[in-house]
Amino acid sequence: MSAHTEPRFLHRTPNIPLVEDAWEEIDASELVEVPLLGTVSAGMPMEACADDETVRIPSRMVRRNTYALRVRGDSMIDCNIHDGDIIIIEKLESAENGETAVVLINNQEVTLKKVYIDKAGVRLQPANATMPPIYLKNDDIQVLGLVMGVARRPANSTFNAS
C-alpha cells in the first residue's frame, strides 16, 4: 500500500482543550486492533447502533478501555473531527467542562459534542458555528467516553476494518 493511501493518526495533546491545533500526528508503527463499536453522530443525535468490527491504530493511542467509533456529520469540524473519521475513545463516565465526549441521551441516542455542565443542566456544544447547542437536564445524559485520537483516511480511500 502506498503512503498516500495510509490513514493519518492524530493524537490528542494532553491537557490542551480539543481545538484544531490540539492534535499531534503520530507514526503508524506498532498497530494494534481495537473494537470499532459503530457510528456516532456529529450532528443531530441518532439511535445507537452497534457494529462488531475492529480497526488498527497505533499502540500509543490505546489506554485501559479504548474503542473506536466512525463519525457521521460535521458538528465537530472546528475540533478537526470530520465526517468519515474514526475517533479513538477512552471509556470514561464523566467529563470536565469543555471536553469532547461521546454522550448517550435518554438511554437511546448517541452524539459527539463538547460537554458543559452547570446547575441548570447540560449544554452539548457543537464545534461548528452553524449548529446550535443542545440543552438537557443532567439526568438525561450519560457520558460514554472522551475523544483521545482521530484516524483519518486520505481522500478517495477507505479504512480497512476487519
Side-chain angles (χ1 to χ4, degrees), residues 75-91:
S75 75
M76 301 306 291
I77 58 174
D78 292 341
C79 285
N80 202 20
I81 299 172
H82 300 272
D83 185 60
D85 285 351
I86 290 181
I87 52 174
I88 312 308
I89 304 296
E90 182 176 2
K91 183 179 179 180

Side-chain angles (χ1 to χ4, degrees), residues 51-71:
D51 286 338
D52 188 21
E53 299 181 69
T54 60
V55 65
R56 295 172 54 83
I57 64 170
S59 59
R60 71 180 266 204
M61 294 176 80
V62 177
R63 300 241 165 77
R64 286 183 314 253
N65 296 302
T66 300
Y67 62 95
L69 293 168
R70 190 176 309 275
V71 175

Side-chain angles (χ1 to χ4, degrees):
M1 194 180 290
S2 63
H4 70 279
T5 61
E6 294 291 327
R8 289 178 53 213
F9 295 98
L10 304 174
H11 191 254
R12 180 177 172 184
T13 305
N15 304 316
I16 293 180
L18 200 52
V19 291
E20 182 81 32
D21 58 357
W23 302 99
E24 64 173 316
E25 189 162 351
I26 61 172
D27 182 341
S29 61
E30 297 183 43
L31 297 177
V32 296
E33 287 189 355
V34 298
L36 177 61
L37 297 183
T39 302
V40 63
S41 173
M44 291 305 295
M46 65 182 220
E47 190 88 14
C49 56
D51 286 338
D52 188 21
E53 299 181 69
T54 60
V55 65
R56 295 172 54 83
I57 64 170
S59 59
R60 71 180 266 204
M61 294 176 80
V62 177
R63 300 241 165 77
R64 286 183 314 253
N65 296 302
T66 300
Y67 62 95
L69 293 168
R70 190 176 309 275
V71 175
R72 183 180 302 153
D74 293 317
S75 75
M76 301 306 291
I77 58 174
D78 292 341
C79 285
N80 202 20
I81 299 172
H82 300 272
D83 185 60
D85 285 351
I86 290 181
I87 52 174
I88 312 308
I89 304 296
E90 182 176 2
K91 183 179 179 180
L92 294 169
E93 295 178 1
S94 64
E96 299 289 325
N97 274 343
E99 289 275 19
T100 301
V102 175
V103 179
L104 179 65
I105 301 171
N106 296 320
N107 289 317
Q108 60 186 21
E109 296 176 320
V110 179
T111 191
L112 176 67
K113 298 283 185 286
K114 288 181 173 281
V115 177
Y116 294 92
I117 302 168
D118 62 30
K119 292 176 188 159
V122 178
R123 173 172 45 107
L124 301 179
Q125 182 69 47
N128 181 331
T130 67
M131 297 181 173
I134 299 169
Y135 295 94
L136 298 163
K137 294 183 281 193
N138 290 339
D139 294 343
D140 292 342
I141 72 147
Q142 177 185 349
V143 173
L144 300 178
L146 301 181
V147 176
M148 294 297 158
V150 174
R152 176 161 304 138
R153 69 180 184 274
N156 303 321
S157 70
T158 58
F159 276 108
N160 293 330
S162 49

